[in-house]
Amino acid sequence: MTYMETLGQRAKAAAPAAAKAGTLLKNQALSAISEALLKNSAYIIAENAKDLEQAVQNQMSAAMQDRLRLDESRIQAIANAVCKLIALEDPIGTEDKGWVRPNGLRIRQVRVPLGVIGIIFESRPNVTVDAAALCLKAGNAVILRGGKEAIHSNTCLVSVMREALESVGLPADLVQLVEKTDRETAAEMMKLNGYLDVLIPRGGAGLIQAVVKQATVPVIETGAGNCHVYVDASADLAKAVAIANNAKTQRPSVCNAIETLLVHRDIAPAFLPHINTAFSAHHVEIHGCPETQRILGDGVIAATEEDYAKEYLDYKIAVRVVDSVEEAVAHILKYSTRHSECIVTQSMENAEYFQNSVDSAAVYVNASTRFTDGEEFGFGAEIGISTQKLHARGPMGLSALTTIQYRIIGSGQIR
């Protein structure tokens, strides 16, 4: 039996304990995990420092180092996110609908766990805890495979969570970490049929596409975020600057940050200098179309087709001036990864057209794309942002980690 098959076997053996655990026991486990994270914060930070040291040696970008970094406040935030799940309704056993057939059969559609969930992700150690906590609350076992950049952090976090599970009488193997970070192990995980019920990749476009193309187990495609803000001709200038600046600079290394800014030609001369000033405070590198270059001058790099399709995950942005909301929508449909898009406008007609025409998981009017997040949507922590249409779409909270089961009660009916 291979290393990955061993993990799969352990997860499958442990999964029924989570499926049968009542809400009280699962919440006790979440509380124990939250407390253990805070109690072990010094240990976690020390292990995270090893990853950060390696990141510096490997010349990881500042934005990616920020993704990797854990400190007291971030550990507190992670622990708080786990606690918030306690207050959320347990989806397991809830009835979506029920009906009685003419023959007397009583049919109920109820929520049940998916079973064993695999998650492949990159260098954000907070995902390790978010994913484990969500899977647990939804009655699942989870196998986590993070990137080598965060191996010390992830090993530490999983160890802390496994001890917390055992402290309330649940199997530690409900949460397992793939401690081997080679590509062969990842490839084997993608083909762990018979053990994994679903595999969720969470990270950059390269990782997601590799999983989608190579996996033989069911996959939920998530996360690649070539997101856009379109500033319409009627936009409130101050509001547009605030939204675009927040969407790009508040945390550029995450999937709901924008990578392209589209500006209507009529407002571009007034808007672009203001957003340029806001971006300059964060040293944002602008790749612009000829009109953007004409308005902003030599500091703008000429944008290419590749720029419009790129998920920078950094203090870089592509800017294009367009002639209409229709042209903005056409651009988005061509280049978007179907994650999150925004229109800033005072025209309800254009807002309605934008929302009806853009084919993305989240479509905003006059609000930052940074709100595409499970916690911001009221789901608690999230497992990822689904950019596909089957099973789950958008921020994936507890319900997305369940499936349905039909439960039928009869009185001797035969067909």
Side-chain angles (χ1 to χ4, degrees):
M1 182 171 287
T2 67
Y3 172 71
M4 285 307 306
E5 286 174 335
T6 299
L7 295 186
Q9 187 179 64
R10 290 174 179 170
K12 197 160 187 175
K20 295 173 185 175
T23 303
L24 178 61
L25 179 55
K26 289 188 289 187
N27 285 345
Q28 287 175 340
L30 292 172
S31 180
I33 287 171
S34 180
E35 292 172 7
L37 290 169
L38 296 176
K39 181 180 177 182
N40 290 279
S41 60
Y43 167 45
I44 295 167
I45 291 170
E47 291 300 300
N48 179 247
K50 296 176 183 177
D51 292 325
L52 288 170
E53 182 181 357
Q54 195 67 41
V56 172
Q57 293 176 7
N58 292 335
Q59 299 181 321
M60 182 184 287
S61 71
M64 296 304 288
Q65 287 185 48
D66 178 65
R67 264 178 106 137
L68 179 60
R69 182 172 289 105
L70 291 176
D71 54 25
E72 290 281 358
S73 64
R74 287 191 177 179
I75 294 171
Q76 181 72 61
I78 293 169
N80 290 345
V82 174
C83 282
K84 287 179 180 178
L85 288 176
I86 295 173
L88 296 180
E89 182 182 357
D90 186 347
I92 301 304
T94 59
E95 183 176 312
D96 287 352
K97 54 186 175 181
W99 62 97
V100 179
R101 296 293 296 146
N103 61 8
L105 286 178
R106 296 179 177 273
I107 304 174
R108 297 167 58 231
Q109 187 186 82
V110 300
R111 288 276 148 191
V112 296
L114 285 169
V116 178
I117 299 175
I119 302 173
I120 295 183
F121 56 103
E122 292 174 330
S123 58
R124 292 178 64 191
N126 65 296
V127 175
T128 307
V129 179
D130 288 351
L134 276 161
C135 289
L136 173 64
K137 178 84 179 200
N140 301 289
V142 65
I143 300 175
L144 302 159
R145 200 272 185 187
K148 63 181 179 181
E149 301 87 356
I151 188 60
H152 293 96
S153 306
N154 290 338
T155 301
C156 169
L157 290 167
V158 168
S159 174
V160 168
M161 288 190 289
R162 285 169 61 87
E163 288 184 13
L165 288 171
E166 288 186 318
S167 75
V168 298
L170 285 171
D173 284 341
L174 287 174
V175 179
Q176 295 184 87
L177 178 71
V178 180
E179 296 184 8
K180 296 182 179 181
T181 58
D182 56 274
R183 290 188 178 182
E184 290 75 15
T185 304
E188 187 181 349
M189 187 176 184
M190 297 177 203
K191 295 175 172 58
L192 208 57
N193 298 76
Y195 299 104
L196 285 185
D197 291 287
V198 67
L199 180 60
I200 304 172
R202 181 168 172 174
L207 169 68
I208 294 165
Q209 288 307 307
V211 173
V212 169
K213 291 176 181 178
Q214 297 176 36
T216 57
V217 298
V219 173
I220 298 177
E221 187 173 350
T222 71
N226 187 11
C227 304
H228 300 72
V229 162
Y230 164 59
V231 180
D232 194 30
S234 67
D236 178 284
L237 197 65
K239 188 181 293 183
V241 170
I243 289 171
N245 185 47
N246 175 263
K248 177 70 260 184
T249 68
Q250 197 258 345
R251 199 172 181 189
S253 61
V254 293
C255 62
N256 56 20
I258 63 167
E259 306 294 10
T260 297
L261 176 62
L262 303 171
V263 185
H264 193 284
R265 187 174 300 278
D266 292 350
I267 203 173
F271 172 76
L272 286 175
H274 285 286
I275 193 63
N276 187 42
T277 299
F279 283 165
S280 294
H282 299 273
H283 306 289
V284 175
E285 181 180 281
I286 296 176
H287 297 246
C289 67
E291 183 65 7
T292 302
Q293 290 181 299
R294 187 188 69 77
I295 294 171
L296 295 182
D298 296 337
V300 177
I301 300 168
T304 65
E305 284 288 305
E306 183 181 6
D307 286 313
Y308 293 128
K310 194 166 187 177
E311 186 183 20
Y312 291 110
L313 300 174
D314 204 348
Y315 289 101
K316 299 178 181 181
I317 194 167
V319 180
R320 182 183 174 192
V321 175
V322 296
D323 291 329
S324 65
V325 63
E326 290 83 5
E327 187 179 350
V329 167
H331 178 103
I332 291 169
L333 291 176
K334 180 177 180 179
Y335 296 104
S336 170
T337 54
R338 308 295 191 260
H339 192 297
S340 300
E341 327 296 346
C342 164
I343 181 174
V344 185
T345 186
Q346 296 186 83
S347 165
M348 287 302 100
E349 181 181 351
N350 285 355
E352 185 176 355
Y353 173 82
F354 190 86
Q355 288 195 309
N356 287 339
S357 303
V358 169
D359 187 24
S360 294
V363 187
Y364 293 84
V365 175
N366 298 329
S368 172
T369 58
R370 287 285 288 114
F371 286 105
T372 307
D373 175 85
E375 185 170 352
E376 293 293 338
F377 276 26
F379 301 160
E382 69 180 35
I383 208 77
I385 311 292
S386 173
T387 54
Q388 65 181 39
K389 298 182 181 181
L390 296 179
H391 176 69
R393 195 179 194 194
M396 295 172 59
L398 292 172
S399 182
L401 298 177
T402 67
T403 186
I404 59 170
Q405 182 182 68
Y406 291 98
R407 295 182 177 177
I408 305 98
I409 296 178
S411 56
Q413 290 90 335
I414 60 174
R415 183 175 178 181

